[in-house]
Structures are given as C-alpha cells and as structure tokens.
Amino acid sequence: MTAGSRLGNYVSLIGTDGVTPVIGTKIISSVKALARYESFREAAQAVGASPASFSRYITQAEEYAGNILFERRRNGAQVTSAGQQFLNLLDALEDASSIFEQGVEQLKSTGTPTLNIGCGPLTTRTLINPLIEQLLQEMPELRIRIMVSATKEPLEALRRGTLDVAICDLTHTPDLSDLDIQVIEKRPVSFWARPQHPIHSDAPVHLADIFREHLIAPKFHKHWKSAIAEVLGGDRTAWQMVELIPKIECDDYGLLADLASKKDLIFGGRADAVAQHAALGLLKEIQTKQVLNWNICAARRKKVSFPALDVLWEVLTCRFAE
C-alpha cells in the first residue's frame, strides 16, 4: 500500500501538505470495538464492517501508531500496552476535537445564545419542562434545542460538542473524569406485565428470568447492555442474548405500555411511565429479587463555559440536584 493510498483513509486538519494526518473515524471505531470485544468477528459486526475491511482498519491503525496494538490469539485479540496507550490518545483526541467543534459553533452564532440539551423520554415532563420554563424567565432571548431520544448516547454527543448538557442515566458509565456531574434523582427500574402473564406466578423472580422473556423497551445504550449481560452471566452467550434485547424497541412509552397490557410482553422502565395502565389494572408490577437503579444526572464538560450553560447549571443545582 502506498503512502498516498494510506492517507486517503485519514482525515487531515488542513489538507495534506506538511500536516500530520489525524486518524479517521472508521479506524478509531474499529480499534475501540476490538479492544472491547477481543474478537475480530464480533468487533467487525459491531461497527458494520466486512471482516476484510475491519482487518485493514486495524492494520492501518498499527501502521499509523508504529506499534502492534493487539496481540493476535487463536481465540481472539488482546490489547497490548502500546494499544492501551493508543486508546488513551484516541480519547484525548476526541476531547480536543469536541472543544474545537464547540468553539466553531459558538463562532457561528449570530448573537442569539443557543443551548443544546440532550435527554431521554422519561425526563421530559418531570424535569425538562420546569427547567425550560425557568431558563426562559432568566434568559428570554435564549434559543433551546432539545434532543429527546433513548437511541442516542448523550454522553458521547456531549463529548463531541453537539450537546452542551446531557440529562441521562449514568448508572453504568465507567469514566466520568472529564465531566462535571449533578445527581438529579435516583429511582429503581421496575418491570411490568399484564396481570395474566405467567411470570407473576413465580414472583419474586430473578432479573435474569425477566431478561430471558420478551422484553420491550427503548434501545439499550452500551452501559445498560453491560449491566444486563452481567446479570445474565457475563459470558459470550450472555452478550449474544443482550444483542437480541429488546424484542420491540420504541421511545414512545405510551405505545410500549399499551403493548404490554395486551400481549405477554414485559415493559421495563420507571413506574410513572405506566401509572395510568397500572391504575386501571391493565399492568401489574413484577416483584424481583434484585434491584437495578436509574441514576438520572446532568453532565457538562469540564472547562467549557458560556452564559446560557452557566445559567442552566445554576438552575439545576439550586432546584433539582440532590
């Protein structure tokens, strides 16, 4: 492979003349996936690449780093010490890129401040609505963009600079060192099924029993997948089961509650999401032997500050934080 063809797989800051290329996103995602799965096949599937393309991305990463990043083994691959250092450098590159992107967005501003908030559907009425009301009282000229989705990973969007604050579940997030955190509330996850569902006859049940049933929920982000895989045994078979959960994905909790009340499907979430159905006797809570908790938190990046974000953070601290 020629130097020119290799550079075609990288993204440079200002062309290619005299500038060291920055490694491309496909190569970055491939390195991170292989570090997580320790399997070329599973990692290639996770990033949506063919085995040949995935292997090429890893080779390009090692050429770029000038080191062997993964020790190939018969049953998979393991990160080398150089590989771990390279992963740390990728994290630092992502942080620097996020700061750059946010600075550019602020530069593009026409003078009207804009605040980008990311959250899941469970927080919109109980937290986001009163928060927005107070923010508009404090800053009437403020423009607000709200990304409401359970299919996104708000912390990654926050680190990329596409969000200014993320209000989400941080129960199973391993690294928060680059973020400022405010704990908003802690609540247990509850599981619901129609009263006729056979699982009630075995209650209280293990969480693993629930996850082996037909579960309906929003898409699980990687931290919840890790928690569920651990409940199921933490081995490769557990991860294969997790990839098939939930049976039905949807961010509309009303739709999920309706489905669970009519079919033998189990809904997992917060109790207030099914309060109406429970009051009408259409859904009954499943008693479990273990408990999983939501930790709903607000997160912002350290060393990033502008007036609208600072006002929002002060409101969160004074009114909502535990």
Side-chain angles (χ1 to χ4, degrees):
M1 181 182 291
T2 66
S5 62
R6 281 202 304 271
L7 288 176
N9 293 293
Y10 303 129
V11 180
S12 72
L13 294 176
I14 313 172
T16 57
D17 295 336
V19 179
T20 300
V22 177
I23 196 165
T25 55
K26 287 184 178 180
I27 300 175
I28 291 173
S29 60
S30 297
V31 170
K32 290 185 174 181
L34 187 53
R36 174 183 173 184
Y37 290 98
E38 297 185 344
S39 161
F40 273 81
R41 181 182 60 81
E42 293 180 20
Q45 290 176 348
V47 300
S50 68
S53 295
F54 184 85
S55 181
R56 185 170 67 252
Y57 295 146
I58 298 301
T59 299
Q60 289 169 347
E62 292 183 324
E63 289 177 356
Y64 186 89
N67 277 276
I68 299 299
L69 305 179
F70 295 92
E71 179 185 344
R72 276 71 166 175
R73 296 182 174 181
R74 187 172 183 178
N75 296 326
Q78 187 171 15
V79 178
T80 63
S81 59
Q84 187 56 57
Q85 292 179 54
F86 191 70
L87 287 165
N88 295 338
L89 289 171
L90 289 180
D91 289 339
L93 175 64
E94 188 174 8
D95 292 343
S97 177
S98 296
I99 293 171
F100 173 79
E101 289 173 6
Q102 188 187 47
V104 171
E105 288 301 316
Q106 292 296 319
L107 188 63
K108 291 177 181 177
S109 174
T110 59
T112 302
T114 301
L115 193 63
N116 297 287
I117 302 173
C119 65
L122 282 177
T123 63
T124 51
R125 292 185 179 179
T126 58
L127 198 150
I128 299 299
N129 270 2
L131 176 63
I132 298 306
E133 290 175 11
Q134 188 164 347
L135 277 175
L136 292 177
Q137 287 180 351
E138 300 274 346
M139 302 182 70
E141 75 284 5
L142 181 64
R143 292 182 70 243
I144 301 171
R145 296 192 187 101
I146 306 173
M147 183 188 79
V148 182
S149 177
T151 62
K152 302 290 184 182
E153 298 203 19
L155 289 187
E156 294 187 7
L158 182 66
R159 286 169 168 142
R160 288 195 304 269
T162 53
L163 292 179
D164 299 311
V165 64
I167 299 174
C168 55
D169 168 45
L170 299 182
T171 305
H172 301 286
T173 305
D175 182 15
L176 302 175
S177 59
D178 59 336
L179 302 174
D180 285 329
I181 304 294
Q182 289 285 357
V183 178
I184 305 301
E185 61 182 27
K186 296 181 180 181
R187 293 193 186 181
V189 180
S190 57
F191 299 92
W192 301 77
R194 61 183 189 144
Q196 299 85 356
H197 196 295
I199 198 167
H200 290 297
S201 62
D202 297 324
V205 299
H206 292 284
L207 289 175
D209 297 329
I210 288 179
F211 294 129
R212 292 189 180 102
E213 294 284 339
H214 291 322
L215 190 71
I216 58 177
K219 181 176 180 179
F220 294 121
H221 59 62
K222 63 183 180 183
H223 308 304
W224 273 110
K225 284 187 175 183
S226 296
I228 295 170
E230 185 177 346
V231 167
L232 291 170
D235 55 12
R236 182 169 297 184
T237 301
W239 274 102
Q240 290 172 345
M241 292 175 63
V242 168
E243 294 303 322
L244 300 176
I245 302 174
K247 181 177 177 63
I248 299 175
E249 289 179 12
C250 182
D251 288 353
D252 187 329
Y253 286 85
L255 172 60
L256 293 179
D258 284 342
L259 285 170
S261 67
K262 297 171 183 175
K263 297 289 183 179
D264 282 341
L265 302 167
I266 294 176
F267 169 76
R270 278 177 24 182
D272 53 3
V274 297
Q276 259 187 329
H277 292 75
L280 294 172
L282 299 175
L283 288 176
K284 179 181 176 182
E285 185 172 5
I286 302 168
Q287 300 303 310
T288 61
K289 295 180 179 179
Q290 306 103 347
V291 175
L292 287 176
N293 287 313
W294 304 92
N295 288 339
I296 304 301
C297 301
R300 64 184 286 186
R301 279 169 295 159
K302 292 180 178 177
K303 300 179 182 179
V304 175
S305 175
F306 56 93
L309 177 59
D310 294 339
V311 170
L312 176 143
W313 201 254
E314 184 178 354
V315 171
L316 281 170
T317 302
C318 295
R319 181 168 178 177
F320 295 102
E322 289 193 348

